[in-house]
Amino acid sequence: MSLSGRGAVITGGGRGIGRAVARALAERGASVVVSARTTVEINGVAKELTAAGFEAHAIACDVADEASVRTMAEEAVKRLGTVDILVNNAGIALSNPVKRLALEEWNRILAVNATGTFLCARAFLEGMIDRRWGRVINVASVAGLRGSRYIAAYTASKHAQIGFTRALAAEVADQGITVNAICPGYVDTPMTESSVSRIVEKTGVSPEEALERILALSPQHRLIRPEEIAHVAVMLCDKNAEGINGQAIVIDGGSGAH
Ligand code: NAP
């Protein structure tokens, strides 16, 4: 499969899953824009990809800010010509029991994970509809499909992201566009490193024990690699994936299998 001639925007492309997705799409020939708030990270990824012979640009953006998303979208179209693939990957996590969850924390996590997905999808949708081809891939989480302790805001935001995925998929199903969610379990990224640190901080266990608690949630007793998420993102861009629409694809080593 070649994605040559396709423009792709990956939010949260400065590290972790977004960085791996950007590389995988570029390796298939897509021209990519990596976007996030930390310019040094997105510049680094764009530089890395350009040095490897791919077309890559860095554009700073806060996905929770409507004006910032609008500016990023305009700039992305200028650089890429068209944006055919949007990977809504930018996200934040925090944990707190509900009784201690501040309204500001709740609002921020919903704004980035859920509203950010809506704002970015809306910004690129018209172009996809005009060309009757598009792929919107929302990096959600298994937390978007079930509930776990202490992550109510994150869980609500990821449920919202999946609900939005399904609704938008239905809305554009007859216009050549597919909209899907990828739902990872714990992935080997800086976000999971922060989760380990939070467990250490809140419970006093060692970093090894904290990681073990996370690994114990995986039937394969391991963290998912960012490349595994990228693999599915690339697959969803294939011509033969056009029937996959409105799905929430779980990549967690099989926790639903028993
Ligand atoms: P990560 O390593 O922390 O990277 C997150 C990326 O999102 C960074 O580039 C970050 O850059 C960007 N970001 C955060 N807030 C943003 C904002 N307001 N506007 C624009 N960009 C923003 O996290 P990751 O593990 O790669 O996670 C990527 C996605 O996968 C997230 O949606 C996460 O919820 C989901 N996920 C992760 C796991 C996991 O175990 N790691 C599991 C399931 C789902 P800046 O901070 O510079 O903006």
Side-chain angles (χ1 to χ4, degrees):
M1 180 210 1
S2 170
L3 294 175
S4 166
R6 301 280 187 211
V9 169
I10 301 97
T11 69
R15 57 179 188 260
I17 294 170
R19 180 180 172 201
V21 171
R23 171 163 278 272
L25 291 173
E27 282 173 351
R28 299 299 166 119
S31 303
V32 303
V33 159
V34 284
S35 186
R37 293 164 305 169
T38 312
T39 46
V40 60
E41 287 188 345
I42 51 174
N43 286 341
V45 173
K47 215 168 146 185
E48 205 173 276
L49 294 178
T50 307
F54 308 123
E55 184 185 339
H57 310 267
I59 304 175
C61 171
D62 180 344
V63 297
D65 178 328
E66 186 177 18
S68 177
V69 170
R70 195 178 306 120
T71 308
M72 179 274 283
E74 283 166 7
E75 191 57 35
V77 171
K78 261 190 221 153
R79 308 257 189 115
L80 300 175
T82 61
V83 174
D84 313 290
I85 299 164
L86 168 66
V87 183
N88 280 310
N89 165 77
I92 53 172
L94 66 83
S95 59
N96 238 346
V98 171
K99 64 185 178 195
R100 283 206 292 273
L101 186 61
L103 177 60
E104 294 71 33
E105 293 176 315
W106 170 272
N107 284 343
R108 182 65 190 162
I109 210 157
L110 267 289
V112 175
N113 297 358
T115 309
T117 296
F118 151 65
L119 289 174
C120 292
R122 190 182 62 176
F124 293 109
L125 208 55
E126 215 165 285
M128 293 180 187
I129 291 170
D130 288 347
R131 293 184 299 282
R132 299 195 69 79
W133 199 94
R135 296 286 186 265
V136 179
I137 299 164
N138 299 325
V139 182
S141 167
V142 287
L145 297 167
R146 58 178 189 237
S148 306
R149 289 190 293 180
Y150 310 139
I151 52 168
Y154 185 74
T155 301
S157 73
K158 292 297 179 178
H159 274 70
Q161 206 183 9
I162 292 174
F164 176 74
T165 300
R166 291 174 173 146
L168 182 59
E171 198 169 308
V172 296
D174 60 353
Q175 298 178 76
I177 301 165
T178 67
V179 188
N180 289 287
I182 298 178
C183 301
Y186 278 99
V187 185
D188 190 2
T189 72
M191 183 181 276
T192 296
E193 283 168 26
S194 306
S195 301
V196 168
S197 305
R198 264 199 313 272
I199 295 171
V200 170
E201 211 177 280
K202 291 193 174 172
T203 66
V205 299
S206 68
E208 293 73 24
E209 172 55 23
L211 178 61
E212 183 48 42
R213 287 188 187 183
I214 285 176
L215 294 181
L217 299 170
S218 158
Q220 296 178 337
H221 202 76
R222 69 178 183 93
L223 298 178
I224 301 294
R225 297 181 306 279
E227 292 72 23
E228 296 176 80
I229 313 303
H231 176 73
V232 173
V234 167
M235 179 276 286
L236 288 169
C237 295
D238 195 294
K239 165 96 184 76
N240 289 326
E242 65 184 331
I244 304 172
N245 192 26
Q247 299 305 304
I249 302 168
V250 174
I251 307 177
D252 73 344
S255 66
H258 53 86

